[in-house]
Amino acid sequence: MVVLVMMYSSSSVMKATSDVNKVNYSQDTIYQIVTDRFHDGDPSNNPEGQLYSQTDLHKYMGGDWKGIIEKINDGYFTDLGITALWISQPVENIYNVHPEGYTSYHGYWARDYKKTNPFYGDFEDFDELINVAHSNGIKIIMDFTPNHSSPALETDTSYVENGAIYDEGSLISNYSNDTHGIFHHNEGTDFSSYEDGIYKNLYDLADYDLQNEVLDQYLKDSIELWLDKGIDGIRVDAVKHMSQGWQETLVNHIYSYQPVFTFGEWFLGQGEVDTKNHDFANESGMSLLDFQYGQQIRAVLMSEEENWLDYQDMIEETSISYQEVNDQVTFIDNHDMSRFQKESASNLNTEMALAVLLTSRGVPTIYYGTEQYLTGESDPENRKPMPGFDKTTKAYQIISKLAHLRKSNLALGYGKTTERWVNEDVYIYERKFEDHIVVTAINSGENSYTITNMNTDLPEGTYSDVLDGLLNGNSLNVDGDGTVSEFELQANEVAVWEITVANDDPKIGHVGPMAGQPGNEITVNGEGFGDTPGDVLFDDNGASITTWSDSEIVLTVPEVSGGLYDVKVVTADSVESNAYLNVEVLTNHLLPVRIVVEQASTNYGEDIYVVGNTQELGNWDTDKAIGPFFNQVMYSYPTWYYDVSVPADYPLEYKFIKKDTEGNVIWESGTNHTYTVPSEGTDVITSIWRD
Ligand code: NOJ
Ligand code: NOJ
Ligand code: CA
Ligand code: CA
């Protein structure tokens, strides 16, 4: 009785619970929805006048959360095998129309992060969306824009809504009268450097100064509100345009409060490979939308400018450059690129691309309407309303079969990729995690090929095509020694063969989040952990276990010093798993601090970095020093600055170094700089270079 009373009285602060695993998306298939364009389930919430149109794609068109709920309830997603919906940013957006006739239907022009966008629904509708989704085994991922508010001009207060941002209805600041100093006032970026893109406006969007304490607190409080609402994932907009340091504090805040899978958008054009993008994915604690993957599959199957040899190079290269390649979020198109399906083209290339996407490494995302062969070139043509909900299209059936396979066969979520046969037209690849194996063969050329000398880890036997011949696949014969009997792969054929056998030996497939301070919650997934709790080790240190099952262990990060640890599961029978490498233990929860160093003159090719006495500052290892520092926008050479994430309440010691492109290091002379990080908020520390 007492317990009951307590439960009721604390219900207002209780977090929505669900059975879905919020940090591991290895068995999920995501579906990306532009909420306004998906389905209008409640015409009564549609805007009126200038904001609304049934024909102008720049206006609101009526789609809402009720519409998504309706489609969850009628089985559109579950039959499609979809287990996660990425929806438009749910927060209130501006109401004014941009001089070019644009509106905020896309959700990227926030006005108040603590309110809902009324044209999508109210908080009651949002709660219903979460509940209906969770009771159907579906996760909800929200888009989030911490880089900017909305379009604004420094000199024209009447321009749109002047970038104004509100906290539950009360004005914090607007762009031209920035009372709290929450915005950058450096004009628009010309995209000429990483620094320029971070500290200047992205187009005409009022850019946040994320080091501002009021804003930092407001954005972090806001994301707590949506985490409390029960969201299961966050897609962070424009991560290339915010400092990595501040974003590390954002993800750390999320992972300390309620860990959910968080992935960023770092746009890359066709053929673009960016080591900064890789570094961000490996160090920030966030995954990324995998544009390198997306652009490559488009080059092979959409524009047909490249072939499977190029694709295989990308698979090889990214398996090294992304430490957690299976956690990057893959796609063939999205709302910022032309749709994969061309008006004049047959459906075949879209179908083949979907089959490859859904069997490749990474968490696959289907852009709404691709299963209905929706077409459209650039924005807003690529965001047309959903044309219908036909479950019989071939694309729908292909997605359904493979999304279900992803749930039943761990090879797709956890497996490595091995190329088994490749030429310009043909690509045959194997995904393997222990005794879970999926082999996919595609011939996108115009001729049939005889496949000889192919090896596989599939055991001896005959395998039927998982796609049931939807793309003309046949069965495969494997001989005892792992050689495949010669077979014909027809033009435009795709076949998928699989086997899944559970294994009793402990094997880790996924750890998430990959960074956290002692006390934070981390989830380990895989198989063969046994039903009786054993140990989880961070190097040699045992973690305390919250829950334990044969495939999932929830634990708290042990009290060890900051650093990278190898995580291992040891079963109750003392059998050790593989080591899952480089799980980052932070020294304490992270705060954003701007480090400024004056009078640091350098020779051509040299840059300034900081290195210090914690994991966050590289533990005195100059290869892990933080930087290169910036010296153009917020401060100018010979003053340098960099926004870093550092452990709260910690006595830091650090030095600045000069490093050139060959890695030669010049240390500052004298004693270390010292600084104790505050308990909360943000800070700026300024030093003079010690020659
Ligand atoms: C990237 C988003 O995907 C795009 O659609 C948006 O306009 C910009 N970021 C600005 O938020
Ligand atoms: C920057 C370091 O590069 C990175 O490895 C680390 O994750 C963060 N700081 C947070 O400590
Ligand atoms: Ca509506
Ligand atoms: Ca920015």
Side-chain angles (χ1 to χ4, degrees):
M1 194 58 216
V2 174
V3 172
L4 258 177
V5 170
M6 282 178 58
M7 276 181 58
Y8 281 117
S9 62
S10 65
S11 68
S12 60
V13 293
M14 259 171 56
K15 290 175 195 167
T17 53
S18 69
D19 292 335
V20 298
N21 181 331
K22 294 180 183 237
V23 295
N24 180 7
Y25 276 59
S26 306
Q27 289 178 274
D28 290 305
T29 301
I30 302 175
Y31 186 93
Q32 181 196 349
I33 291 177
V34 175
T35 302
D36 178 64
R37 300 297 152 88
F38 190 65
H39 186 51
D40 188 352
D42 180 6
S44 78
N45 62 19
N46 296 353
E48 284 170 359
Q50 278 293 298
L51 280 176
Y52 183 78
S53 169
Q54 290 190 17
T55 51
D56 180 350
L57 289 167
H58 287 300
K59 302 289 167 70
Y60 277 89
M61 298 189 125
D64 49 32
W65 297 328
K66 284 275 190 216
I68 300 173
I69 293 166
E70 208 178 286
K71 290 297 149 193
I72 298 176
N73 280 329
D74 80 6
Y76 187 77
F77 299 113
T78 28
D79 291 351
L80 190 53
I82 293 302
T83 50
L85 302 177
W86 153 16
I87 59 169
S88 303
Q89 177 165 241
V91 314
E92 184 186 51
N93 266 236
I94 61 166
Y95 299 100
N96 286 1
V97 179
H98 187 279
E100 311 280 344
Y102 309 155
T103 68
S104 61
Y105 73 88
H106 42 65
Y108 290 116
W109 294 349
R111 183 176 194 278
D112 192 332
Y113 293 81
K114 296 187 184 170
K115 288 186 167 182
T116 69
N117 184 325
F119 310 131
Y120 302 162
D122 58 21
F123 274 123
E124 221 172 290
D125 300 326
F126 193 80
D127 290 344
E128 186 184 347
L129 172 65
I130 295 280
N131 290 334
V132 171
H134 286 173
S135 54
N136 284 274
I138 293 174
K139 309 180 194 185
I140 297 289
I141 302 165
M142 68 175 260
D143 218 315
F144 184 51
T145 58
N147 176 63
H148 55 260
S149 58
S150 61
L153 288 183
E154 199 70 65
T155 49
D156 182 356
T157 55
S158 67
Y159 187 78
V160 205
E161 291 192 18
N162 198 12
I165 201 78
Y166 298 81
D167 184 349
E168 280 193 284
S170 66
L171 180 70
I172 304 177
S173 266
N174 56 48
Y175 196 55
S176 65
N177 183 20
D178 186 6
T179 44
H180 281 97
I182 66 168
F183 294 108
H184 287 139
H185 299 276
N186 303 318
E187 303 188 326
T189 178
D190 59 7
F191 301 94
S192 59
S193 70
Y194 184 41
E195 178 187 5
D196 202 87
I198 293 174
Y199 298 98
K200 295 188 178 181
N201 294 354
L202 183 58
Y203 316 113
D204 59 358
L205 299 168
D207 202 60
Y208 291 140
D209 176 359
L210 296 163
Q211 296 298 126
N212 176 281
E213 210 161 295
V214 172
L215 183 74
D216 172 68
Q217 189 63 48
Y218 168 70
L219 289 172
K220 286 170 182 167
D221 288 349
S222 302
I223 205 66
E224 282 185 14
L225 181 154
W226 295 97
L227 289 164
D228 285 342
K229 286 270 153 209
I231 56 153
D232 310 290
I234 301 169
R235 178 268 193 192
V236 182
D237 189 57
V239 297
K240 187 184 173 178
H241 301 284
M242 295 174 277
S243 74
Q244 184 173 318
W246 184 80
Q247 294 182 84
E248 286 167 350
T249 72
L250 172 71
V251 269
N252 178 245
H253 192 84
I254 294 166
Y255 295 162
S256 306
Y257 189 74
Q258 162 63 70
V260 301
F261 183 55
T262 304
F263 59 99
E265 176 240 3
W266 181 305
F267 193 92
L268 297 174
Q270 193 187 324
E272 197 182 343
V273 176
D274 186 343
T275 55
K276 285 199 165 59
N277 166 293
H278 300 146
D279 292 345
F280 187 91
N282 296 338
E283 294 168 3
S284 70
M286 256 188 242
S287 289
L288 285 179
L289 281 157
D290 195 342
F291 278 85
Q292 217 180 315
Y293 181 93
Q295 295 288 11
Q296 185 67 59
I297 194 167
R298 289 163 70 87
V300 178
L301 285 174
M302 196 184 89
S303 66
E304 301 186 6
E305 286 161 6
E306 295 191 5
N307 61 51
W308 293 109
L309 297 168
D310 304 302
Y311 181 94
Q312 167 57 17
D313 286 347
M314 176 278 300
I315 290 289
E316 281 281 308
E317 198 264 294
T318 52
S319 75
I320 297 162
S321 47
Y322 289 124
Q323 278 169 24
E324 253 65 49
V325 74
N326 284 338
D327 262 349
Q328 310 309 315
V329 180
T330 52
F331 55 90
I332 62 171
D333 55 6
N334 66 31
H335 63 300
D336 292 325
M337 20 169 65
S338 65
R339 284 202 177 256
F340 197 96
Q341 178 66 40
K342 298 289 160 213
E343 237 153 272
S344 50
S346 85
N347 297 338
L348 193 63
N349 280 35
T350 302
E351 291 158 355
M352 291 192 293
L354 286 168
V356 173
L357 172 75
L358 287 155
T359 50
S360 297
R361 92 291 181 287
V363 182
T365 303
I366 309 294
Y367 185 40
Y368 81 95
T370 299
E371 75 281 18
Q372 305 296 339
Y373 306 107
L374 198 51
T375 60
E377 289 301 313
S378 47
D379 165 8
E381 289 297 318
N382 55 1
R383 304 167 181 189
K384 288 187 290 204
M386 189 71 173
F389 298 88
D390 182 357
K391 293 187 183 177
T392 68
T393 69
K394 201 187 266 192
Y396 187 100
Q397 294 171 50
I398 290 167
I399 295 167
S400 173
K401 288 200 181 339
L402 297 177
H404 282 101
L405 178 65
R406 190 171 162 83
K407 285 196 264 189
S408 65
N409 190 319
L410 298 177
L412 294 182
Y414 299 147
K416 294 214 163 61
T417 308
T418 306
E419 171 261 299
R420 291 301 190 182
W421 213 99
V422 65
N423 70 20
E424 295 189 353
D425 294 334
V426 171
Y427 186 48
I428 305 179
Y429 56 103
E430 184 166 302
R431 306 289 315 288
K432 182 176 189 298
F433 177 74
E434 296 298 276
D435 297 328
H436 312 278
I437 300 173
V438 175
V439 176
T440 304
I442 176 167
N443 175 0
S444 59
E446 277 155 23
N447 302 304
S448 160
Y449 284 90
T450 305
I451 310 298
T452 56
N453 296 319
M454 181 187 143
N455 294 310
T456 178
D457 279 345
L458 287 169
E460 181 173 12
T462 299
Y463 297 86
S464 59
D465 173 26
V466 175
L467 291 173
D468 281 335
L470 277 171
L471 293 171
N472 305 316
N474 289 306
S475 55
L476 187 80
N477 283 311
V478 180
D479 301 334
D481 55 358
T483 54
V484 171
S485 313
E486 178 176 311
F487 67 102
E488 282 298 299
L489 195 62
Q490 307 295 329
N492 297 323
E493 173 179 343
V494 183
V496 179
W497 306 289
E498 67 126 1
I499 188 164
T500 186
V501 178
N503 204 303
D504 285 342
D505 290 334
K507 173 88 177 184
I508 303 178
H510 187 268
V511 172
M514 281 291 286
Q517 64 275 21
N520 269 23
E521 180 182 293
I522 285 188
T523 303
V524 175
N525 287 102
E527 70 172 356
F529 302 153
D531 295 322
T532 315
D535 294 307
V536 177
L537 302 180
F538 281 59
D539 290 354
D540 295 327
N541 310 277
S544 83
I545 309 296
T546 311
T547 64
W548 183 293
S549 76
D550 191 56
S551 60
E552 182 167 298
I553 302 164
V554 179
L555 54 92
T556 48
V557 177
E559 297 284 338
V560 292
S561 51
L564 299 180
Y565 288 80
D566 294 348
V567 168
K568 269 189 201 165
V569 171
V570 184
T571 65
D573 301 336
S574 304
V575 186
E576 260 190 28
S577 74
N578 57 314
Y580 205 86
L581 306 182
N582 297 328
V583 177
E584 183 178 17
V585 175
L586 302 166
T587 312
N588 198 357
H589 75 265
L590 301 176
L591 299 186
V593 168
R594 174 166 296 168
I595 300 185
V596 182
V597 55
E598 295 171 346
Q599 298 172 37
S601 300
T602 48
N603 293 319
Y604 184 78
E606 287 173 348
D607 281 300
I608 299 291
Y609 293 74
V610 68
V611 63
N613 65 340
T614 63
Q615 161 64 13
E616 292 76 9
L617 294 182
N619 273 326
W620 295 119
D621 177 351
T622 55
D623 290 337
K624 293 183 178 158
I626 310 303
F629 275 43
F630 299 134
N631 59 20
Q632 313 253 325
V633 183
M634 301 305 292
Y635 298 86
S636 299
Y637 180 88
T639 301
W640 302 66
Y641 67 102
Y642 208 64
D643 295 336
V644 303
S645 64
V646 285
D649 296 317
Y650 199 81
L652 294 180
E653 293 192 23
Y654 57 94
K655 274 194 170 183
F656 299 101
I657 57 172
K658 294 177 186 171
K659 204 161 49 161
D660 67 15
T661 44
E662 267 131 53
N664 298 311
V665 169
I666 300 169
W667 284 88
E668 253 188 312
S669 63
T671 55
N672 297 335
H673 300 273
T674 58
Y675 165 75
T676 299
V677 183
S679 313
E680 54 184 336
T682 69
D683 208 356
V684 185
I685 38 177
T686 305
S687 315
I688 295 173
W689 170 271
R690 295 173 179 169
D691 250 329

